[in-house]
Amino acid sequence: MPSLSHESLALLFKNRPALAAEILHNALKVDIPDYKAVRVESGDLTEWNPAEFRADAVVVFEADTPVLAVVVEIQLGRDQGKRWSWPVYLAGLRARARCPAILLVICADAAVGDWCAEPIELGHPGWTLTPLVLKPEAVPVVTDAAEAVRAPELAVLSTMTHGAAYDRARMFHALLSALATMEDGDRAKLYIDIVLAALPETPATELEAFVRSDTSPYKSEAFRRTYAEGKAEGEAEGEAKGEAKGRVNTLLQVLEARGVMVPDEARERITACTDVAQIEAWVKRSVIVRTVDALFD
């Protein structure tokens, strides 16, 4: 099963396909052709070959016709199989979209990024694929609220990558300012959970405290209610039980936002649990599972 950070990063591109252009142009200095629209396509790049080839995300930029197609791959470790499948991804997408195709690899580790960036010799003279790789140090640091509002997913990626940095207070403020402007409150809540799961313990605690504070620009009623209910429950029945209640609410909201059906039996199992560690594990898995049964596996 893909890891939380793997699925979370892919989700950013699926929710905001223009993020691919922002990274290619701003971070990797790749010229992007003029386009009028951008869309996400199926990541299934299998053609006649019986082997299955599926990219993490596929983004297509259009004028009147497709002008650029991008395969987005989230690579958290070395996988020799990618040296064989990545050229297939590009060739398949290029043939399907009938336009130039680019491979963009997102790496959370610099050493893995160096490995991914190594040229792939295909054998035919002059035919070499050199992946475009976004390593952690190349991820833009978004601390300006206006920039974050313009590109919320870029702010999420920035905070996931650099949120343990010294200037994280400005980064948190920019991120929450962006999420406060999102019309989809469930998506904003999901993004907060993604960032919290990616951050080390200390900055994650600081971000949670910032969200709860009166000075936070993030005004999602759903998010505030989650923690308000947890706090009230803690006062009435004990701090541990209150924390469990708050995390249960978070879990159910994430599942709802992702469209995962929660039957009554599963809901009863979730709400009856008072083990904070277990609930926290479910919360992290809720971002990647497709069914509630998979949550409990």
Side-chain angles (χ1 to χ4, degrees), residues 10 21 23 43 45 50 67 82 84 88 96 108 117 128 141 143 150 169 195 197 210 214 275 282 285 290:
I23 287 175
L45 301 176
V67 293
K82 297 296 186 179
W84 301 101
V88 179
R96 187 173 78 190
T128 301
V141 178
T143 57
R150 181 187 61 79
V195 172
F210 192 71
D214 293 336
D275 184 340
W282 287 342
R285 296 196 69 188
R290 292 183 172 88

Side-chain angles (χ1 to χ4, degrees), residues 76-274:
L76 304 181
R78 299 189 183 196
D79 181 356
Q80 290 293 341
K82 297 296 186 179
R83 313 288 293 178
W84 301 101
S85 60
W86 281 343
V88 179
Y89 289 3
L90 277 188
L93 180 57
R94 178 176 176 273
R96 187 173 78 190
R98 295 292 194 270
C99 69
I102 285 177
L103 172 64
L104 171 61
V105 184
I106 310 298
C107 294
D109 179 83
V112 173
D114 290 339
W115 177 84
C116 291
E118 293 177 1
I120 302 172
E121 299 290 344
L122 276 75
H124 185 83
W127 194 2
T128 301
L129 170 61
T130 303
L132 298 174
V133 179
L134 182 74
K135 292 184 284 188
E137 62 268 25
V139 175
V141 178
V142 180
T143 57
D144 179 73
E147 181 182 1
V149 168
R150 181 187 61 79
E153 282 75 13
L154 185 60
V156 171
L157 180 61
S158 172
T159 309
M160 292 174 68
T161 306
H162 304 297
Y166 178 77
D167 61 349
R168 58 178 173 262
R170 292 178 58 204
M171 196 175 306
F172 291 166
H173 187 276
L175 171 68
L176 297 180
S177 295
L179 300 186
T181 66
M182 294 182 67
E183 295 182 0
D184 188 343
D186 289 334
R187 179 178 292 186
K189 175 63 179 62
L190 179 60
Y191 283 171
I192 286 184
D193 281 319
I194 286 174
V195 172
L196 288 173
L199 290 177
E201 182 177 357
T202 297
T205 300
E206 291 179 7
L207 177 57
E208 280 194 298
F210 192 71
V211 171
R212 298 185 198 184
S213 72
D214 293 336
T215 59
S216 170
Y218 186 54
K219 303 299 182 182
S220 167
E221 186 61 31
F223 189 86
R224 290 187 178 277
R225 185 171 63 249
T226 294
Y227 286 95
E229 289 176 356
K231 182 178 179 181
E233 190 72 21
E235 293 174 350
E237 302 179 31
E239 183 177 349
K241 190 172 181 179
E243 183 179 357
K245 177 67 174 178
R247 299 309 287 160
V248 162
N249 289 334
T250 295
L251 171 60
L252 293 175
Q253 288 176 10
V254 172
L255 291 172
E256 180 181 357
R258 297 190 62 239
V260 178
M261 298 296 296
V262 183
D264 291 342
E265 183 177 350
R267 187 177 296 272
E268 290 176 4
R269 177 177 177 180
I270 291 172
T271 56
C273 183
T274 58

